[in-house]
Amino acid sequence: MTHDLRAIAEARHNLHEGKASSRPLSEDYELVGLAGEDALADFCGGEVDITPRPNGDGGTDCHIALFFTVDVKTARKAFNLLVEVGKVKADIYVLASYENGTARLLGWEWGRVVASIPPVDIGGFGIMSHAIPLGKLRPMSELKVRLTRRVRP
């Protein structure tokens, strides 16, 4: 980790505070998400995008192997990969777990597969999301192979 993630998370929170797209559903939500982005950048051999984006990242955290957009979803209780209905925009979704300031990548799935899952309200917040249980996700080792071979779907 080459950046102060807590400071970047606080800046992101302040940048998005009061905007319709901001939904702080848990404590340090920006830090949790940023830790997942950091873990993904480390996995891919890249860097976290720390560019201030007042309107958000458009559902893409990074680009990998020149072909794919990726969005990492990080949670303290990472039992399901959750993507809100209408927000499936990336080619690949990665689930990460967050604990003690660090995120660990758990599994992934193609965006088109995520979009095909019937939506549910997992958290009870009234947010309908496509949900894939952790045990049904593709292993990160498979994504690593695709990265090194630059294989298209």
Side-chain angles (χ1 to χ4, degrees):
M1 176 182 350
T2 58
H3 304 290
D4 179 354
L5 295 185
R6 187 164 291 284
I8 296 166
E10 185 175 336
R12 280 187 182 179
H13 170 77
N14 293 339
L15 184 65
H16 298 131
E17 195 167 27
K19 299 211 175 183
S21 61
S22 177
R23 270 197 311 243
L25 299 176
S26 67
E27 183 179 348
D28 290 333
Y29 71 102
E30 288 282 10
L31 180 60
V32 171
L34 192 57
E37 292 176 37
D38 187 56
L40 182 65
D42 186 53
F43 178 81
C44 296
E47 290 285 326
V48 174
D49 181 0
I50 60 170
T51 307
R53 299 185 190 284
N55 298 316
D57 60 17
T60 299
D61 292 326
C62 72
H63 298 268
I64 60 172
L66 304 177
F67 298 122
F68 307 113
T69 56
V70 180
D71 193 5
V72 60
K73 300 299 184 182
T74 310
R76 288 181 175 92
K77 296 177 182 178
F79 302 123
N80 296 286
L81 172 64
L82 299 174
V83 183
E84 189 174 347
V85 170
K87 295 189 176 183
V88 180
K89 297 179 182 176
D91 297 313
I92 294 171
Y93 284 87
V94 175
L95 177 62
S97 64
Y98 177 84
E99 187 175 352
N100 298 322
T102 305
R104 186 170 56 95
L105 305 179
L106 303 175
W108 70 282
E109 188 52 84
W110 296 110
R112 67 178 182 273
V113 173
V114 172
S116 73
I117 304 297
V120 294
D121 178 8
I122 291 279
F125 293 104
I127 300 169
M128 298 302 287
S129 299
H130 305 282
I132 302 177
L134 171 59
K136 300 283 187 182
L137 294 176
R138 295 170 180 265
M140 292 306 297
S141 59
E142 181 185 319
L143 185 57
K144 188 62 134 179
V145 168
R146 289 181 176 277
L147 276 172
T148 55
R149 292 189 184 164
R150 297 179 185 239
V151 177
R152 288 188 68 101

